[in-house]
């Protein structure tokens, strides 16, 4: 039945009840008026009739009221007419309410059972980050107690500095990983999810100890293997150098020895890049920040590029700010050098490379743009992965291993900076490093550009 139809039925039945009541009163009045007319004193008979009617109505009302109050233990009263209909209607509404209550209770029980068996922890936070509910995993991992902690603000209970900062910052697009302080040394990844338009937040807690251990093992393996390879390679390179300088070396061996030297040099460069990446990945927070003269560094790097025999015709440097950066000079030099060397490598000789350093209210920015081969949109998200090369053959010919941008990414992360890449195939690319304003430092010596 449509809404409109059911509405009409309700109206009909309501007007039907009113008409029924009116007819009852009118019929009763008529009977008692007739009795008054027959026996005399019509007013007295009419009052008697109406009082009787009123008494019956009050008695029905009393019965209904008693049943509504104690309906869980009493049976519905056996009333006739519209009182009976009213009783049936109330009984139906009550049954429906009971049904929905039971359904919600079942759902809640099921939800509790499921969340208790969940491998992840989950907690619901109110508008002021107060704990509204949490499952057993959260209770265990974050040492919370249901009776004691529900209603308290989470930052007063979960005091990991990284988590408190994450909560204060309000950017929940990523998770934060903390090391549990108890004997188990468990790594927990905490992610807050806020539905649009809702003031409540869902905290999802995952045990990522296994992933972190595997990642650490992988890093250690790469670092150790690279380190172990360095010594034998130094010996091989030494003998190859000696052989190459040997004037008595047979002619047939001269070219193979030259090729072996080239390859061993390539291996040395690869090992150096792998070690550099491992150092960046394994070093914790930056504690040895120094004031780095960005203008001086860029001027030096530009000069280096200008001295290359093969390079794009124009290498421009635009310094719109003389502000310095707080960070590790070697790492920043590696970032800038990698970006500039890529721009030079992937831009033809008649092309152009522009380097710009500027400052705005958000912080300091360094852009390296080129008019080179460009990068297809589908390759952009993968560029900073280790060993990712758009055209492996071309990159190899140019001496690349696909590690440069991975080094850039990690070094920037250590400086709280981000990298954005814009590129169009065949037109060129722009790589921009964004440093937060907290990383800027005023320079104390005047800038000299040569
Ligand atoms: P590589 O040592 O191979 O240059 P990178 O990590 O520095 O490694 O760069 C990864 C890949 O990104 C490169 O192989 C190249 O395909 C692409 N790339 C990087 N910079 C540029 C650029 N300025 N123009 C075009 N392609 C680029």
């Amino acid at each position: 039945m449509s809404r409109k139809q059911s509405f009409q039925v309700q109206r009909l039945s309501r007007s039907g009840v009113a008409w029924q009541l009116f007819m009852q009163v009118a019929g009763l009045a008529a009977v008692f008026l007739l009795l008054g007319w027959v026996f005399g004193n019509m007013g007295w008979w009419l009052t008697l009739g109406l009082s009787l009617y009123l008494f019956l109505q009050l008695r029905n009302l009393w019965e209904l009221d008693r049943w509504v109050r104690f309906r869980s233990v009493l049976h519905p009263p056996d009333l006739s007419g519209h009182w009976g209909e009213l009783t049936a209607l109330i009984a139906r509404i009550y049954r429906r309410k009971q049904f929905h209550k039971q359904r919600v209770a079942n759902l809640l029980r099921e939800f509790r059972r499921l969340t208790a068996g969940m491998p992840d922890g989950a907690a619901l936070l109110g508008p002021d980050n107060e704990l509204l509910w949490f499952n057993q995993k959260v209770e265990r991992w974050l040492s919370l107690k249901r009776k004691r902690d529900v209603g308290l603000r989470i930052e007063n209970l979960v005091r990991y500095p990284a988590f408190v900062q994450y909560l204060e910052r309000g950017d929940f697009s990523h998770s934060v990983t903390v090391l549990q302080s108890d004997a188990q040394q468990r790594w927990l990844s905490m992610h807050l999810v806020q539905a649009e338009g809702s003031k409540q937040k869902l905290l999802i807690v995952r045990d990522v100890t296994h992933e972190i251990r595997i990642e650490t093992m992988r890093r250690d393996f790469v670092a150790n293997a690279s380190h172990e390879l360095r010594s034998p390679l130094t010996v091989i390179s030494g003998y190859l150098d000696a052989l190459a300088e040997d004037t008595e070396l047979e002619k047939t061996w001269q070219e193979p020895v030259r090729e072996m030297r080239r390859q061993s040099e390539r291996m040395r460069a690869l090992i150096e890049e792998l070690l550099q990446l491992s150092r960046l990945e394994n070093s914790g927070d930056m504690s040895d920040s120094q004031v780095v003269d960005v203008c001086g560094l860029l001027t030096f790097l530009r000069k280096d590029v200008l001295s290359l025999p093969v390079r794009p015709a124009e290498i421009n440097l635009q310094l719109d700010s003389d502000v310095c950066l707080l960070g590790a000079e070697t790492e920043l030099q590696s970032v800038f050098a990698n970006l500039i060397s890529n721009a030079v490598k992937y831009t033809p000789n008649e092309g152009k490379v522009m380097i710009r350093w500027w400052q705005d209210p958000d912080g300091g920015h360094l852009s390296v743009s080129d008019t080179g081969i460009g990068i297809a949109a589908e390759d952009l998200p993968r560029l900073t992965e280790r060993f990712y090369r758009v055209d492996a053959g071309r990159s190899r010919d140019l001496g690349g291993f696909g590690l440069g941008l991975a080094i850039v990414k990690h070094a920037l992360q250590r400086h709280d900076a981000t990298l954005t890449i814009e590129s169009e195939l065949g037109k060129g690319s722009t790589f921009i490093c964004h440093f937060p304003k907290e990383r800027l430092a005023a320079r104390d010596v005047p800038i000299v550009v040569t």
Side-chain angles (χ1 to χ4, degrees):
M1 194 187 291
S2 71
R3 260 179 81 111
K4 200 172 164 191
Q5 279 171 320
S6 84
F7 179 66
Q8 277 173 352
V9 168
Q10 272 188 12
R11 264 181 52 175
L12 263 180
S13 65
R14 260 211 307 272
S15 58
V17 169
W19 178 246
Q20 203 184 346
L21 277 172
F22 173 74
M23 288 305 285
Q24 267 181 13
V25 176
L28 196 86
V31 169
F32 277 84
L33 276 174
L34 189 68
L35 284 171
W37 183 65
V38 172
F39 297 108
N41 205 343
M42 283 168 73
W44 190 87
W45 278 100
L46 185 64
T47 312
L48 179 70
L50 290 178
S51 302
L52 201 65
Y53 182 76
L54 190 64
F55 170 75
L56 286 174
Q57 300 301 321
L58 284 175
R59 197 203 60 158
N60 287 346
L61 185 64
W62 178 80
E63 281 208 36
L64 191 67
D65 177 77
R66 199 165 73 99
W67 170 67
V68 168
R69 280 173 204 277
F70 306 104
R71 63 182 180 274
S72 53
V73 283
L74 290 181
H75 285 295
D78 187 13
L79 301 175
S80 58
H82 62 271
W83 287 102
E85 282 175 30
L86 197 60
T87 310
L89 191 67
I90 293 173
R92 210 163 49 233
I93 293 171
Y94 178 61
R95 265 201 313 276
R96 205 180 302 155
K97 195 182 117 192
Q98 284 294 92
F99 170 75
H100 286 301
K101 209 164 132 185
Q102 191 60 40
R103 213 168 64 153
V104 171
N106 286 345
L107 266 174
L108 206 62
R109 203 171 309 123
E110 198 58 29
F111 175 74
R112 285 224 175 99
R113 245 200 310 262
L114 277 173
T115 53
M118 247 167 71
D120 295 342
L124 192 63
L125 307 184
D128 294 322
N129 296 331
E130 72 277 18
L131 275 166
L132 300 178
W133 166 88
F134 48 85
N135 71 355
Q136 286 173 5
K137 281 277 159 53
V138 163
E139 186 165 355
R140 201 166 76 230
W141 289 341
L142 301 181
S143 311
L144 300 177
K145 281 269 168 290
R146 212 166 293 249
K147 282 194 185 138
R148 186 190 62 194
D149 297 329
V150 165
L152 299 184
R153 294 169 74 118
I154 193 159
E155 59 266 46
N156 296 334
L157 302 165
V158 181
R159 290 170 170 273
Y160 299 109
F163 176 70
V164 175
Q165 269 175 21
Y166 172 68
L167 204 62
E168 278 169 5
R169 217 176 291 143
D171 173 12
F172 307 135
S173 55
H174 62 283
S175 60
V176 67
T177 308
V178 298
L179 176 63
Q180 215 182 16
S181 34
D182 67 5
Q184 299 227 333
Q185 293 282 303
R186 202 194 303 269
W187 285 93
L188 297 176
S189 151
M190 303 168 96
H191 197 166
L192 277 165
V193 183
Q194 188 161 27
E196 207 154 301
S198 166
K199 288 192 171 155
Q200 297 192 343
K201 299 178 199 86
L202 181 67
L203 172 68
I204 298 172
V205 186
R206 278 184 57 229
D207 182 354
V208 290
T209 315
H210 186 63
E211 285 98 315
I212 298 255
R213 282 205 187 122
I214 289 181
E215 179 64 12
T216 313
M217 267 163 55
R218 185 197 59 75
R219 277 192 215 157
D220 289 351
F221 170 77
V222 174
N224 291 336
S226 314
H227 202 76
E228 291 301 325
L229 281 171
R230 202 147 76 165
S231 314
L233 192 63
T234 313
V235 176
I236 294 171
S237 300
Y239 279 119
L240 286 173
D241 287 348
L243 274 174
E245 281 161 21
D246 186 355
T247 46
E248 289 168 23
L249 187 71
E250 279 182 38
K251 220 170 173 193
T252 46
W253 277 103
Q254 282 175 3
E255 186 46 40
V257 167
R258 261 201 298 277
E259 182 55 24
M260 280 192 274
R261 276 184 83 199
R262 265 198 299 275
Q263 293 303 331
S264 71
E265 180 50 36
R266 214 174 127 66
M267 270 175 81
R268 195 200 52 76
L270 172 62
I271 288 170
E272 286 309 321
E273 284 200 9
L274 278 172
L275 282 172
Q276 194 184 353
L277 193 54
S278 305
R279 269 195 299 274
L280 285 171
E281 284 180 332
N282 290 330
S283 40
D285 284 346
M286 193 175 301
S287 50
D288 53 346
S289 278
Q290 56 197 106
V291 178
V292 180
D293 175 9
V294 178
C295 297
L297 198 57
L298 292 175
T299 311
F300 166 77
L301 290 171
R302 178 174 175 262
K303 256 193 200 165
D304 239 21
V305 173
L306 287 176
S307 66
L308 289 173
V310 182
R311 61 166 172 84
E314 272 186 61
I315 311 283
N316 296 333
L317 174 62
Q318 187 180 332
L319 299 171
D320 291 334
S321 165
D322 66 351
V323 75
C324 297
L325 274 175
L326 284 175
E329 179 151 20
T330 46
E331 292 177 23
L332 289 173
Q333 174 159 2
S334 163
V335 169
F336 303 161
N338 264 307
L339 294 179
I340 295 171
S341 116
N342 276 348
V344 170
K345 271 196 300 192
Y346 300 106
T347 304
N349 290 355
E350 59 282 8
K352 200 162 120 183
V353 172
M354 288 84 61
I355 307 159
R356 184 176 167 226
W357 171 239
W358 77 101
Q359 184 188 358
D360 66 14
D362 294 334
H365 312 271
L366 171 100
S367 73
V368 180
S369 315
D370 63 61
T371 56
I373 59 171
I375 305 155
E378 65 266 24
D379 290 311
L380 288 180
R382 301 197 57 193
L383 280 192
T384 53
E385 286 176 20
R386 293 176 199 91
F387 294 109
Y388 187 81
R389 291 173 289 193
V390 176
D391 180 345
R394 182 177 196 151
S395 163
R396 201 176 299 116
D397 293 345
L398 293 166
F401 303 108
L403 289 174
L405 290 179
I407 291 174
V408 168
K409 185 178 103 177
H410 279 92
L412 286 180
Q413 265 171 7
R414 275 171 49 75
H415 287 81
D416 314 310
T418 52
L419 177 72
T420 53
I421 310 171
E422 293 156 19
S423 189
E424 204 178 324
L425 211 53
K427 293 234 168 111
S429 318
T430 301
F431 290 73
I432 312 177
C433 309
H434 306 274
F435 295 89
K437 51 182 183 297
E438 295 75 27
R439 283 266 162 204
L440 300 183
R443 66 182 297 116
D444 45 13
V445 278
I447 180 168
V448 184
V449 181
T450 50

